[in-house]
Amino acid sequence: MRPHLAVVALILAASCGTSGPDRYEAEDICHQFVKERLKSPGTADFGDETTAQAGTEWTVTGSVDSENLFGGTVRNQFTCVARPRPGGELWDLVSLTGLSN
């Protein structure tokens, strides 16, 4: 194989390969974990989020507004740490703190 073709093949292989989970996947899965613990998950409105990766773990911190049992809106701060399983389709919740709703 000619050198310039080898470089093109390497670039194509890298761009076509599956990369690991990204911050948007981490945020989505943490939203799911948070919603599972809310009294009215359909009213969840997320904001003020920051997302960071350390090794294989992703940490998402932010706030969620949602209705409580009385119909009032309550704001909770949360920190969710999640880790994708090999293959990246399923995730494990490492920890979730800050919810009181």
Side-chain angles (χ1 to χ4, degrees), residues 74-97:
V74 177
R75 173 166 288 178
N76 283 285
Q77 303 296 320
F78 68 90
T79 299
C80 169
V81 180
R83 178 186 318 118
R85 293 182 184 174
E89 291 183 29
L90 299 174
W91 289 68
D92 290 319
L93 178 63
V94 176
S95 65
L96 179 59
T97 58

Side-chain angles (χ1 to χ4, degrees), residues 27 33 39-40 85 94:
E27 290 169 359
F33 287 135
K39 304 293 184 210
S40 185
R85 293 182 184 174
V94 176

Side-chain angles (χ1 to χ4, degrees), residues 1 4 11-12 18 31 33-34 46 53 59 62 66 73 76-78 83 86 91 94 100-101:
M1 185 179 271
H4 68 282
I11 292 170
L12 287 174
T18 29
H31 289 179
F33 287 135
V34 167
F46 293 89
Q53 181 183 15
T59 301
S66 64
T73 300
N76 283 285
Q77 303 296 320
F78 68 90
R83 178 186 318 118
W91 289 68
V94 176
S100 62
N101 181 354

Side-chain angles (χ1 to χ4, degrees), residues 38-52:
L38 296 175
K39 304 293 184 210
S40 185
T43 64
D45 183 24
F46 293 89
D48 302 324
E49 290 178 320
T50 59
T51 305

